């Protein structure tokens, strides 16, 4: 038996168990794209919560140091997690509320995983330029493939991690100091102890000790787990047991995420091994056997998930709004099948078992999909889908990005928008990443283009506005050293906006710094964006406005002003009455700063 509860960002179906505490409010909202960096996390429940049981709540970052340190407090039904340090600009956070959290009545909560992204600042159009020095730097890697940004040495800035199949090693380039954006080789290289057929890597705190470990997918059908041994010298070493995890053959891609809702990171690999010639690929599911272990084991059921042939890339996200992570995988096409994204829904909270939905399990996208990204691009609170499509080889200039919108919370069904569902991108489009590149509070995208000699730029497309599924070309696309094989976004120079790093088959990487702040009027990060809490809101919201602001305006989706209130004195929150406003997404504006608000 199941029953449903309408949350601030979706409908949650959970098993009916007596007085089970259910989550009924989240702050920041589920799938928020511009949460204030200094905000505490608020999780509201339908029952009073036992403070002694909240230690299991995990806030995970795959870039800024793994499991986030912080303090947890409880006020009756409300749990608040206050991070020790502010979140990093533009990073994605995963929050796990496991069943170890209990109400004062002793009943376990219905476990849940949700995500949000933190705000960036910007005062002008996104523009990327090479830094004055070390703009194109060497790595140990000589083949095109993957790179990740992450703070692996714990000094507060983002480093570059890649793989050298040639040298059988993790290749590191450390950020030489906060706000520098200069990447240098470490004093000593990490241990050379990888398989010779390594294909992909993922960063995450798999042993819950507060630093980023690496998991590496090998084409021979194993995943190498290497734990970060911490300072002073960064090294990645095998765990004492199960350092080589058996998975499906032909493993090409790897993800980390809490798919069973117990608070630790599990692993998934996309496999193009046996069965792919018949139009079938698999995704292997291996569950973390416990916090602080970093040991992965196959579940009793659903260890191998059938998807379309040759899954080239994967993504995790709660696409049906039920509080657990679902799986999506691209198939570039083989033997008449493919050019699709396979959607496999997590079959229940805390299960980690994935099944095809009843309708539209294989989403049709453009020819040759390689990469994919999930994010709320139209501002309606659910995760939408973008794919980078390299084309079918008939033309050297082909390349598209397919946009498929989530048709509504709790559905997990993706449909093409009415206009421009497959924007043309010149060159073989290989990778796509989402992020707020211009600091206006919505998600833009950037692509890498690979395989054609003249395709030596990355392509920027800026979101056309709140509730828009259309993107515009801002011009001035940044030149990079060579055709980019992969790209990562992150604030590498500590100025609060998203920079980019690309890798190439030449063994070099290119760094391009975002100039969106310096091109406009510089202003402190604290005043670059509005803070609106709670969000979603009913009745009254509270707005922390920039200094010297006299009024707060509320605009509807058509840009019409529907409410104006006088701003409170500097440093105080401005109460904003929402009475009389219809449910939907609005823009709150104070001076030059804006924020989105979902009114319920």
């Amino acid at each position: 038996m199941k029953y449903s509860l309408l949350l601030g960002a979706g409908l949650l179906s959970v098993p009916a168990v007596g007085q089970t505490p259910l989550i009924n409010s989240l702050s920041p909202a589920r799938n928020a794209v511009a949460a204030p960096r200094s905000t505490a996390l608020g999780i509201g429940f339908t029952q009073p919560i036992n403070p002694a049981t909240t230690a299991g709540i995990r806030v995970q970052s795959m870039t800024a140091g793994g499991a986030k340190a912080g303090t947890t407090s409880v006020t009756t039904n409300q749990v608040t997690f206050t991070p020790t340090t502010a979140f990093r600009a533009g990073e994605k956070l995963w929050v796990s509320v496991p069943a170890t959290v209990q109400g004062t009545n002793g009943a376990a909560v219905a476990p849940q995983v949700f995500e949000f992204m933190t705000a960036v600042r910007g005062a002008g159009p996104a523009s990327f330029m090479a830094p004055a020095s070390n703009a194109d730097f060497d790595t140990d890697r000589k083949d095109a493939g993957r790179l990740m940004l992450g703070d692996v040495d714990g000094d507060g800035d983002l480093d570059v991690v890649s793989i050298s199949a040639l040298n059988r090693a993790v290749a590191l380039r450390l950020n030489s100091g906060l706000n520098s954006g200069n990447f240098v080789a470490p004093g000593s290289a990490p241990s050379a102890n990888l398989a010779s057929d390594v294909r992909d890597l993922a960063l995450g705190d798999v042993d819950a000790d507060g630093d980023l470990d690496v998991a590496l997918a090998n084409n021979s059908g194993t995943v190498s787990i290497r734990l970060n041994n911490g300072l002073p010298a960064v090294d990645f070493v095998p765990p004492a047991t199960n350092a080589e995890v058996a998975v499906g053959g032909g493993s090409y891609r790897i993800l980390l995420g809490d798919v069973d809702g117990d608070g630790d990171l599990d692993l998934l690999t996309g496999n193009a091994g046996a069965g792919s010639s018949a139009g079938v690929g698999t995704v292997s599911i291996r569950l973390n056997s416990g916090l602080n272990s970093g040991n992965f084991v196959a579940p009793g059921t659903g260890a191998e998930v059938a998807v379309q042939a040759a899954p080239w890339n994967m993504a995790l996200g709660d696409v049906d709004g039920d509080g657990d992570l679902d799986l999506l995988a691209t198939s570039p096409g083989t033997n008449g099948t493919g050019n699709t994204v396979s959607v496999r829904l997590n079959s229940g909270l805390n299960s980690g078992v994935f099944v095809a939905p009843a309708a539209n399990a294989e989403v049709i996208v453009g020819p040759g999909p390689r990469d994919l990204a999930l994010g709320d691009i139209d501002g309606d609170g659910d995760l939408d889908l973008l794919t980078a499509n390299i084309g079918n080889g008939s033309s050297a200039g082909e390349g598209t990005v397919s946009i498929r919108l989530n048709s509504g919370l709790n559905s997990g069904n993706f449909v093409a928008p009415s206009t421009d569902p497959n924007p043309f991108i010149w060159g073989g489009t290989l990778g796509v990443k989402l992020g707020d590149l211009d600091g206006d509070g919505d998600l833009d995208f950037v692509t890498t283009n690979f395989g054609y000699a003249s395709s030596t730029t990355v392509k920027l497309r800026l979101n056309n506005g709140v509730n828009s599924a259309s993107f515009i070309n801002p011009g001035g696309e940044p030149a990079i050293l060579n055709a980019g094989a992969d790209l990562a976004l992150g604030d590498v120079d500590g100025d609060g906006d998203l920079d980019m790093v690309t890798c190439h088959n030449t063994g070099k990487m290119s760094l391009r710094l975002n100039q969106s702040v310096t091109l406009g009027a510089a202003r402190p990060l604290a005043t670059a964006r509005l803070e609106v809490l709670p969000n979603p809101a009913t009745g009254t919201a509270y707005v922390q406005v920039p200094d010297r602001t006299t009024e707060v305006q509320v605009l509807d989706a058509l840009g019409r002003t529907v409410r104006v209130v006088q701003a409170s004195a500097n440093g105080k929150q401005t109460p904003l009455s929402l009475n009389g406003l219809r449910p939907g997404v609005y823009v709150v504006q104070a001076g030059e700063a804006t924020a989105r608000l979902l009114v319920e």
Side-chain angles (χ1 to χ4, degrees):
M1 176 181 178
K2 285 192 174 185
Y3 61 91
S4 298
L5 177 69
L6 185 62
L7 296 182
L11 189 69
L12 175 65
S13 295
V14 297
V17 183
Q19 297 297 309
T20 298
L22 307 174
I23 294 175
N24 62 2
S25 67
L26 297 173
S27 177
R30 186 191 313 277
N31 304 326
V33 300
R37 290 176 55 194
S38 59
T39 189
L41 307 183
I43 307 171
F45 293 86
T46 58
Q47 302 289 330
I49 298 299
N50 180 355
T53 67
T54 60
I57 294 175
R58 287 289 184 271
V59 181
Q60 291 271 8
S61 171
M62 305 303 184
T63 56
K68 309 299 284 189
T71 58
T72 304
S73 60
V74 178
T75 304
T76 314
N77 296 41
Q78 183 77 16
V79 177
T80 301
F81 176 88
T82 303
T84 302
T85 58
F87 298 127
R88 197 165 185 86
E91 69 172 323
K92 179 185 287 188
L93 284 304
W94 301 88
V95 182
S96 296
V97 184
T100 53
V101 179
Q102 298 177 3
T104 54
N105 60 1
V109 306
Q112 184 168 160
V113 180
F114 68 96
E115 69 178 75
F116 65 91
M117 297 176 70
T118 55
V120 301
R121 67 173 178 176
S127 176
F128 293 85
M129 298 179 63
S133 62
N134 209 23
D136 302 298
F137 52 95
D138 288 304
T139 72
D140 300 324
R141 186 170 190 174
K142 303 303 180 184
D143 58 335
R146 293 296 222 188
L147 72 96
M148 303 288 289
L149 285 172
D151 181 11
V152 297
D153 58 357
D155 64 352
D157 50 31
L158 297 181
D159 312 302
V160 177
V161 186
S162 61
I163 315 162
S164 172
L166 180 65
N167 297 327
R168 299 182 61 191
V170 174
L172 286 185
R173 289 299 178 268
L174 299 179
N175 200 320
S176 61
L178 194 61
N179 301 317
S180 74
N182 180 41
F183 292 99
V184 297
S188 59
S191 302
N193 54 5
L194 306 182
S196 60
D197 59 349
V198 60
R199 291 294 186 266
D200 194 19
L201 81 158
L203 291 178
D205 188 2
V206 301
D207 56 357
D209 63 352
D211 53 28
L212 292 175
D213 312 302
V214 294
L216 306 120
N218 305 311
N219 193 54
S220 56
T222 62
V223 168
S224 298
I225 305 299
R226 299 295 182 264
L227 303 180
N228 194 329
N229 70 345
L231 298 176
V234 178
D235 198 5
F236 296 98
V237 297
T241 59
N242 206 21
E244 308 299 327
V245 182
V247 292
S251 302
Y252 196 73
R253 288 293 179 250
I254 186 169
L255 287 177
L256 292 171
D258 183 9
V259 300
D260 58 357
D262 63 354
D264 50 29
L265 296 177
D266 311 302
L267 73 83
L268 301 84
T269 62
N271 314 313
S276 63
S277 61
V280 178
T282 62
V283 173
S284 294
I285 312 296
R286 299 295 182 266
L287 302 180
N288 198 320
S289 61
L291 287 171
N292 304 315
S293 74
N295 179 40
F296 296 91
V297 296
T301 59
E304 310 298 330
V305 182
V307 294
Q308 288 287 290
W312 189 274
N313 217 325
M314 305 177 296
L316 286 171
D318 183 9
V319 300
D320 58 356
D322 65 352
D324 50 29
L325 296 181
D326 308 304
L327 166 68
L328 286 81
T330 61
S331 174
T334 180
N335 290 342
T337 66
N339 294 331
T340 60
V341 173
S342 296
V343 178
R344 300 295 182 264
L345 302 180
N346 201 318
S347 61
L349 291 173
N350 208 30
S351 74
V353 175
F354 295 90
V355 296
N360 207 21
E362 312 301 332
V363 181
I364 304 297
V365 294
R370 289 299 192 268
D371 200 7
L372 76 167
L374 291 173
D376 182 13
I377 64 173
D378 57 357
D380 63 354
D382 51 27
L383 295 177
D384 308 303
L385 166 67
L386 280 75
T387 63
N389 312 313
I390 200 169
N392 55 21
S394 62
S395 169
E398 66 188 8
T400 59
V401 170
S402 292
I403 298 171
R404 299 296 182 264
L405 299 180
N406 199 320
S407 61
L409 287 169
N410 308 306
S411 72
N413 180 38
F414 294 92
V415 296
S418 56
T419 59
D420 206 17
N422 300 290
F424 176 75
I425 307 290
W426 199 94
T429 307
L430 186 62
V432 61
K433 297 293 184 292
L434 280 168
D436 185 1
L437 303 176
D438 53 1
D440 64 352
D442 51 29
L443 292 180
D444 315 300
F445 73 80
V446 59
T447 67
T448 55
N449 305 277
F450 179 69
Y452 308 114
S454 59
S455 185
T456 55
T457 61
V458 295
K459 309 296 183 183
L460 307 180
R461 296 297 183 266
L462 300 182
N463 200 314
N464 205 24
V466 173
N467 289 327
S468 170
S470 63
F471 294 83
I472 58 176
N473 183 353
E477 293 167 335
I480 56 176
L481 184 68
N482 200 348
D486 195 19
L487 177 146
L489 295 173
D491 181 15
V492 302
D493 57 356
D495 65 353
D497 54 23
L498 292 177
D499 311 301
M500 67 172 68
V501 181
T502 60
C503 69
H504 324 287
N505 57 358
T506 60
K508 286 183 175 288
M509 293 189 181
S510 289
L511 168 63
R512 298 297 181 262
L513 299 179
N514 197 332
Q515 306 297 304
S516 66
V517 174
T518 56
L519 289 178
R523 58 194 181 197
L525 181 61
T527 63
R529 299 198 51 79
L530 293 180
E531 295 186 16
V532 184
L533 294 173
N535 195 352
T538 301
T540 302
Y542 294 88
V543 185
Q544 188 71 46
V545 301
D547 295 343
R548 298 177 296 280
T549 300
T550 59
E551 66 180 24
V552 177
Q553 299 184 59
V554 180
L555 288 70
D556 65 13
L558 299 178
R560 300 173 299 190
T561 300
V562 295
R563 185 143 304 168
V564 179
V565 300
Q566 293 302 305
S568 299
N570 290 345
K572 294 184 179 180
Q573 291 182 330
T574 298
L576 178 61
S577 173
L578 307 177
N579 293 333
L581 296 182
R582 294 183 176 181
V585 178
Y586 293 82
V587 176
V588 180
Q589 182 173 332
E592 295 181 357
T594 62
R596 288 188 295 183
L597 171 63
L598 178 61
V599 176
E600 296 182 320

